[in-house]
Amino acid sequence: QVQLVESGGGLVQPGGSLRLSCAASGSTFSLYSWYRQALGKQRELVARITTSGNTIYADSVKGRFTISRDNDKNTVSLQMNSLKPEDTAVYYCHVWGTREGALWGQGAQVTVSS
């Protein structure tokens, strides 16, 4: 079975940094994304990286967050810098493949507070 293991997250002060990682095993995917869902809000796309290396970011995180992929380890990461309280949310890794379909990570809580 395909397994998607998400790690990272935690409590950080405003202006601090966190790094989320998502490791996919058992299959190869074409699209890797990070979503987040704040309490009482709808889940939104934060960042996405394609097989060609193209990336997209939500305007709210552009310049602060960086999505990257390690092909050797089949891992996608989200480096989050200059964190703001409004970044507080549960962050979900999402992968997609033409034949494999889609798979969600278990979610990681990110809390930005002083």
Side-chain angles (χ1 to χ4, degrees), residues 5-68:
V5 180
E6 192 174 330
S7 62
L11 176 64
V12 65
Q13 294 184 2
S17 299
L18 284 174
R19 184 177 179 88
L20 303 177
S21 295
C22 181
S25 62
S27 186
T28 302
F29 296 89
S30 301
L31 205 64
Y32 294 80
S33 305
W34 288 97
Y35 290 77
R36 70 183 181 187
Q37 186 168 21
L39 186 63
K41 295 185 177 180
Q42 193 171 350
R43 188 172 299 185
E44 64 174 343
L45 176 66
V46 177
R48 173 171 290 162
I49 185 168
T50 68
T51 55
S52 62
N54 292 332
T55 58
I56 59 171
Y57 297 93
D59 289 338
S60 59
V61 307
K62 192 173 299 182
R64 300 187 297 118
F65 291 10
T66 303
I67 187 170
S68 61

